Amino acid sequence: MIEKEDKSLIEAAEIISQAGYVVALTGAGMSVESKIPPFRGPGGIWTKYGEPPMDGYQRFMADPKKAWEETLNPKGPMVELRSALEAAVPNPGHVALAELEKEGTLKALITQNIDNLHYAAGSANVLEIHGNATLVRCLNCNSRHKREEVSFEELPPKCPQCAGILKSDTVFFGEPIPTDVLQGCQEESSKCDCMLVIGTSAMVYPAAAFPQHILRQGYPVIEINLYESELTPRCLISLRGRSGEILPKLVEIIKEK
Ligand code: APR
């Protein structure tokens, strides 16, 4: 358990306060304390049920109607993930990052999570590189709509703007990252001079490339993770523990400066 007096926590707060453009990259570990299981490592969905098929996007494009029928009647691991997503609320880690943005230190937040919890906690400049499970996205005009705003009478659902086919905004395996989001992430990473990498195994691209880009520029990467990750050896500081416990302490020290 990291205490406020912990040397590495104080050092991390100092580096973050000195930086000019702090960007956070978050992963599933951020939402474990909101009772959403991670994908890999202990308690991970893929650890329990095995890695999912890598062609979800191709299967959707081959038969959007059938894919939507499966989405609306989830089976296996997706049932567990779906009910966790529906019940989840932001935890103190999400709230701490929203505070860090409000007080001007955190400039942008890139998340691999589809759970909408950063927005729910009050973060504003959020880039959802794997999409948002509460939204659907039009494959024709790329407009995004709250799921409850569209009709699922007919499958696949149609875009209220252009009548194009709607897909979950969640980025499926095999699906290109929507260019508007990817460009936003690249712009924020190019301005970043200190990256906080929180609750991610840092294995899935293109998100995993952002901290490596920051390191190649000679800037610090600070990790918060319950266990060691592939990135740990290259991080200037790796704070070991739960993000929901460490982030509030880190933000408290930063706000006191
Ligand atoms: N606090 C901090 N870190 C935690 C916590 C916690 N309470 N619990 C787990 N972790 C860490 C784990 O040690 C692991 O490094 O969070 C990380 C979770 O890793 P993954 O499950 O691989 O999640 P993520 O990195 O977000 O996966 C990336 O893979 O399956 C795809 O699209 C999916 O967005 C996901 C992507």
Side-chain angles (χ1 to χ4, degrees):
M1 166 86 92
I2 282 195
E3 293 311 329
K4 263 193 77 176
E5 301 65 38
D6 185 289
K7 195 169 126 329
S8 56
L9 193 67
I10 293 167
E11 198 184 328
E14 185 57 32
I15 290 161
I16 293 164
S17 307
Q18 298 293 329
Y21 205 90
V22 180
V23 175
L25 169 67
T26 68
M30 187 80 215
S31 297
V32 165
E33 289 150 89
S34 297
K35 300 191 177 42
I36 300 177
F39 296 99
R40 300 172 186 83
I45 288 232
W46 307 152
T47 316
K48 246 158 85 181
Y49 298 102
E51 288 277 335
M54 289 292 138
D55 63 350
Y57 180 61
Q58 285 70 19
R59 283 190 294 115
F60 178 89
M61 296 307 279
D63 187 343
K65 181 173 180 344
K66 183 164 172 281
W68 267 110
E69 282 160 354
E70 286 167 5
T71 300
L72 297 175
N73 307 288
K75 293 188 184 59
M78 289 307 128
V79 181
E80 187 179 326
L81 194 52
R82 166 70 67 77
S83 45
L85 281 169
E86 280 163 0
V89 292
N91 66 58
H94 295 103
V95 174
L97 286 182
E99 277 174 31
L100 200 59
E101 179 187 31
K102 278 191 195 77
E103 63 92 58
T105 299
L106 185 65
K107 303 297 185 195
L109 197 167
I110 299 169
T111 188
Q112 300 169 89
N113 302 340
I114 60 170
D115 54 35
N116 197 53
L117 292 180
H118 285 300
Y119 278 126
S123 290
N125 189 13
V126 181
L127 292 142
E128 295 173 310
I129 193 166
H130 292 160
N132 184 318
T134 68
L135 302 176
V136 287
R137 174 170 27 96
C138 176
L139 293 175
N140 180 47
C141 69
N142 205 40
S143 61
R144 291 168 176 86
H145 307 272
K146 278 271 177 219
R147 282 178 79 131
E148 60 265 19
E149 287 164 8
V150 303
S151 154
F152 288 87
E153 285 302 302
E154 179 212 343
L155 294 180
K158 294 295 175 358
C159 173
Q161 272 173 219
C162 77
I165 289 180
L166 292 173
K167 176 188 164 296
S168 165
D169 185 46
T170 301
V171 175
F172 287 0
F173 280 106
E175 180 176 1
I177 305 287
T179 44
D180 52 351
V181 179
L182 190 56
Q183 268 163 7
C185 293
Q186 287 161 342
E187 274 160 30
E188 293 299 353
S189 295
S190 66
K191 292 187 272 188
C192 172
D193 64 353
C194 172
M195 182 164 271
L196 299 187
V197 179
I198 307 163
T200 179
S201 54
M203 291 163 63
V204 174
Y205 289 80
F210 298 130
Q212 292 172 30
H213 168 76
I214 303 308
L215 289 164
R216 272 198 306 277
Q217 314 290 312
Y219 291 127
V221 170
I222 293 171
E223 180 181 48
I224 295 176
N225 200 311
L226 190 53
Y227 305 99
E228 283 228 345
S229 75
E230 298 212 342
L231 199 63
T232 302
R234 301 181 59 197
C235 293
L236 184 62
I237 297 175
S238 185
L239 300 169
R240 194 67 59 249
R242 298 183 178 288
S243 48
E245 290 165 12
I246 292 177
L247 279 167
K249 290 174 187 159
L250 183 66
V251 172
E252 205 181 315
I253 299 171
I254 291 169
K255 287 167 75 171
E256 282 161 4
K257 288 186 177 301

